[in-house]
Amino acid sequence: MNIATHIGPACPLCNEENSLTPIRASDKRTYFACPNCHLAFVDPADYLTADEEMAYYATHENNIEDQGYVRFLQNVTTPLLALIPNEQKTHLQALDYGCGPGPTLSILLEREGIACDNYDPFFADIQLKPQYDVITATECFEHFHQPAQELTKLTKLLAPNGYLALMTSRWKTEQQFANWHYTRDPTHVVFMHDKTISYIAERYGVTPVWQDDSRVVIFQR
């Protein structure tokens, strides 16, 4: 990445503000890339309002009856469940953070014997328990306006030895980012890089125990 000094918004993950690099995408929003945590993000001036976000999310029709969506979620549930011994599953409490209007992942976990709460600030704003053994956030991170605060919250909720599973597509290069379909969703505002995983691990005291090459990473506290 070519680093150029830029005075603008601070990185919402690590708060870097002096060496951000403007980065081009296929839409008209303004983007920056952070040389410290390698997050790419939209200028907050280009965020949708809460009402606009809500209206966009309400168009999503994902649910447990959609087999394509279920297969998509299995990209995270399959490796996550493989990390948990069968005899432990009925003793665990999970949280699907950012479940959306059609909770599905919680049903998949409950079929495996894992109790799971659904939380979403727009659709299921419940009182959370003090701790969870498993927390999933699928296609959620990219919507975080304040990812540092969200990750602080999630890691505080995570029980010792618990698992935090994130599913969000990761960017690779500036060339790929420039034509990336993932930026065309107006509710997507922050974008993880492979190197962001290392920053999160060090900053929040969690260890990556499984990851694929494009979108899923599972941390353990």
Side-chain angles (χ1 to χ4, degrees), residues 12 23 45 55 64 73 90-91 105 109-110 165 172 197 210 213:
I23 186 171
I64 193 63
L73 292 180
T90 57
H91 302 288
L105 193 143
L109 293 182
E110 287 170 350
K172 306 290 185 182
I197 294 172
W210 192 92
D213 62 357

Side-chain angles (χ1 to χ4, degrees), residues 2-21:
N2 295 322
I3 303 302
T5 300
H6 180 86
I7 303 300
C11 172
L13 181 56
C14 72
N15 208 39
E16 173 67 39
E17 59 183 354
N18 293 322
S19 300
L20 302 177
T21 303

